Amino acid sequence: MDLKLKIWRQASRDAKGKFVDYEVHNISSDASFLEMMDLLNEDLVEKGEEPVAFDHDCREGICGMCSLFINGRPHGPDSAITTCQLHMRKFKDGETIVIEPWRAKPFPVIKDLIVDRSAFDELIQAGGYISVSTGGVPDANAIPVSREKAELAMDAAACIGCGACVAACKNASAMLFVSAKVSQFALLPQGKIEAKERVQKMVAKMDDLGFGNCTNTYACEAECPKEISVTNIARMNREFFVAKIS
Amino acid sequence: MSNRYYSSLTKKYIMALMGLFLFTFLVVHLSINLLLVFDPTRVLFNEAAHFMGTNPFIQIFQWVLFAGFAIHIFYGVVLQIQNWIARGKGYKRKALSEESIFSKYMIYTGIVIFIFLVIHLGNFFVLKMQGRVPEFEHTANAGMEDMGLLVVNLFKNGGYVIFYVILLLIMGFHLDHAFQSAFQSIGWNHRKYTPFIKGLGHFLAIVLTAGFIIIPVIIYYR
């Protein structure tokens, strides 16, 4: 496959960025998107140019490190996958691919396609934890948890914190991320103890960091590589209301 | 505008509750308006309008309704400005994520509804407040205003009919997203009931819009 690429280049956080056009040739349709980016970078290095900076780590859809807003969609034109799991067969030969960083005020661009997602770390620090010493592994079934609750908590805990929800949302809202964290704890007995405090602190932090407000467009759910459901957002809204009035 | 006073979630709760309250207003408003369609003598409509205009409880509640509109509009604008700021630099390629269509344009449909509201109040409410509504002749109840005549006269003008139909359609788009969104905002999302809420939202949006639209159309062709 031969492809035209339009990639956002920005030398540093404060530098003024711009789109730069590139071409890549003889790309296998079985190559992954990041392998295509690697090939582009090898070309650039050979030519003595600065390679394109992009985030990646495990390359198997677990770590949440890769990002990229590809042709108008976070993680590109496929559903329930991360960019590293995207294959070139999803594109047409000769197609122009526009590659942009996540765009949100709380996610400033560090370099090229890499954004600073430490706002998510700050959200976790605000309350996304259980403050008890964990000790050894408890016996199975020592704390009874219904199967349904366990499944829902596990579904919420599948969030890898990649930020696609923020990138997709027209309001750059972090509601899906925060609600997944709030839910995974609020659903389980260990997390219930601090549930009221947690939801209030995390929401306050989310607002402070400058994320937008949820307008229930559900673009986040559509783009989440782990298919986190917006029912978590409703759960957080309930948790928040109960915490406020009690 | 700051989140120091109310968090984003509190503001969304207020938006949702005010929105649902405005839905109930629309249902009452439509029920009264439809009297004009079913009773061309305007007796029923004028009596209802007279009741709404003189009943002390409704006179007080009218201010609650104005407050409901004001709060919904105020927070709608505040939230939207925060949302625009939150994105910062936008994307070059238009976002293609799958999402509910009308949800993207709530601020714009909202602004159109606000402009419509101002014109609509100018067409009827302001004239009434200024005492410029003619007296209703076909009733024993002396001193009753002929609000129905005001409506009929307005909708004999084809331009106004087209204007109202278009604006009401835009209101329908706003309502279509609004209903289920309000339930999500107040935390009601349930496997069993949410499909019903979504269906009811579409149903209400269609019935309210169609109901309001047939009134000027029928009056024009009558």
Side-chain angles (χ1 to χ4, degrees):
Chain A
M1 298 172 82
D2 296 331
L3 297 154
K4 294 189 183 74
L5 306 173
K6 215 174 246 307
I7 300 178
W8 180 259
R9 301 298 310 260
Q10 183 173 336
S12 68
R13 195 183 277 250
D14 302 317
K16 199 172 173 314
K18 65 172 195 296
F19 281 95
V20 178
D21 293 335
Y22 297 99
E23 280 185 21
V24 283
H25 302 282
N26 299 323
I27 301 290
S28 160
S29 61
D30 290 332
S32 82
F33 194 84
L34 295 187
E35 282 165 349
M36 182 276 293
M37 294 294 288
D38 292 338
L39 291 171
L40 167 72
N41 277 346
E42 276 177 23
D43 262 6
L44 291 178
V45 170
E46 266 176 39
K47 283 190 229 161
E49 289 177 37
E50 178 83 9
V52 178
F54 61 92
D55 264 330
H56 61 100
D57 193 5
C58 76
R59 296 206 177 197
E60 49 190 11
I62 296 167
C63 73
M65 219 30 221
C66 59
S67 54
L68 307 188
F69 197 82
I70 303 162
N71 279 353
R73 291 183 63 187
H75 297 302
D78 204 348
S79 54
I81 56 151
T82 53
T83 295
C84 64
Q85 295 170 301
L86 178 65
H87 286 87
M88 297 315 293
R89 52 180 169 268
K90 288 284 167 186
F91 299 90
K92 287 190 214 82
D93 191 27
E95 192 176 341
T96 301
I97 306 175
V98 181
I99 310 170
E100 301 174 68
W102 283 177
R103 293 288 187 195
K105 261 276 157 63
F107 287 169
V109 172
I110 299 170
K111 187 174 181 178
D112 296 340
L113 300 169
I114 298 179
V115 297
D116 180 358
R117 282 172 283 186
S118 48
F120 270 11
D121 298 333
E122 286 185 55
L123 277 166
I124 296 294
Q125 285 159 13
Y129 52 81
I130 294 171
S131 47
V132 288
S133 54
T134 48
V137 180
D139 284 343
N141 303 325
I143 306 169
V145 180
S146 73
R147 176 168 171 80
E148 194 195 2
K149 288 271 168 70
E151 289 290 344
L152 287 172
M154 199 59 206
D155 288 348
C159 168
I160 52 176
C162 65
C165 46
V166 175
C169 176
K170 76 176 178 67
N171 311 322
S173 169
M175 288 284 276
L176 194 66
F177 171 77
V178 177
S179 70
K181 303 302 166 191
V182 163
S183 289
Q184 78 185 47
F185 291 118
L187 283 160
L188 298 175
Q190 296 94 327
K192 272 218 165 71
I193 301 152
E194 293 163 291
K196 284 180 187 171
E197 229 176 293
R198 176 181 306 113
V199 67
Q200 294 186 75
K201 282 183 178 168
M202 289 187 82
V203 168
K205 185 47 115 181
M206 175 177 79
D207 292 348
D208 282 351
L209 287 165
F211 287 105
N213 309 289
C214 180
T215 49
N216 305 324
T217 68
Y218 309 143
C220 53
E221 184 184 70
E223 295 301 348
C224 176
K226 299 298 158 186
E227 301 182 293
I228 307 285
S229 162
V230 293
T231 53
N232 289 299
I233 294 179
R235 182 178 297 103
M236 176 164 79
N237 293 346
R238 286 199 296 279
E239 289 281 328
F240 183 80
F241 180 72
V242 170
K244 277 281 174 199
I245 58 164
S246 59
Chain B
M1 190 195 300
S2 146
N3 290 317
R4 269 175 295 168
Y5 302 107
Y6 288 123
S7 70
S8 57
L9 262 61
T10 310
K11 287 196 281 259
K12 286 297 295 179
Y13 259 93
I14 296 171
M15 277 299 280
L17 294 174
M18 289 305 134
L20 289 175
F21 167 59
L22 297 177
F23 255 99
T24 61
F25 156 70
L26 285 180
V27 171
V28 174
H29 192 359
L30 177 63
S31 322
I32 293 175
N33 287 13
L34 284 175
L35 293 175
L36 262 182
V37 174
F38 297 121
D39 173 26
T41 65
R42 306 197 295 277
V43 174
L44 287 177
F45 177 80
N46 281 337
E47 280 180 356
H50 184 70
F51 171 78
M52 298 301 277
T54 51
N55 183 288
F57 175 74
I58 297 195
Q59 289 307 294
I60 296 166
F61 201 74
Q62 178 175 287
W63 293 103
V64 178
L65 178 65
F66 284 141
F69 269 108
I71 293 168
H72 189 75
I73 292 165
F74 174 73
Y75 280 118
V77 171
V78 167
L79 288 162
Q80 184 60 60
I81 291 171
Q82 288 180 331
N83 291 345
W84 279 326
I85 294 171
R87 168 62 74 224
K89 184 177 167 53
Y91 293 109
K92 180 185 179 71
R93 181 58 77 89
K94 197 171 133 277
L96 293 173
S97 304
E98 188 187 311
E99 55 192 347
S100 110
I101 309 163
F102 299 130
S103 69
K104 286 191 279 189
Y105 309 108
M106 291 303 269
I107 187 68
Y108 305 110
T109 49
I111 289 168
V112 171
I113 294 168
F114 176 70
I115 294 166
F116 174 60
L117 187 69
V118 172
I119 295 169
H120 185 57
L121 286 175
N123 287 153
F124 300 108
F125 190 74
V126 173
L127 293 182
K128 183 179 158 50
M129 285 292 116
Q130 293 172 338
R132 285 162 59 192
V133 184
E135 200 165 309
F136 188 40
E137 293 158 0
H138 302 276
T139 177
N141 192 347
M144 191 189 280
E145 293 166 320
D146 197 350
M147 286 301 286
L149 185 66
L150 227 58
V151 180
V152 171
N153 285 343
L154 188 77
F155 293 143
K156 283 295 170 201
N157 180 335
Y160 262 113
V161 174
I162 292 168
F163 174 76
Y164 266 72
V165 167
I166 292 171
L167 277 271
L168 286 166
L169 274 174
I170 292 169
M171 181 191 76
F173 299 153
H174 195 80
L175 298 183
D176 186 71
H177 172 69
F179 194 74
Q180 59 86 19
S181 175
F183 280 87
Q184 169 81 1
S185 289
I186 60 172
W188 186 333
N189 190 327
H190 191 279
R191 210 173 31 193
K192 214 186 279 178
Y193 305 112
T194 294
F196 170 74
I197 294 289
K198 285 189 174 170
L200 185 63
H202 295 311
F203 175 78
L204 277 175
I206 292 167
V207 167
L208 284 169
T209 309
F212 279 115
I213 282 177
I214 59 166
I215 296 163
V217 172
I218 288 180
I219 288 173
Y220 182 75
Y221 285 108
R222 182 175 275 162

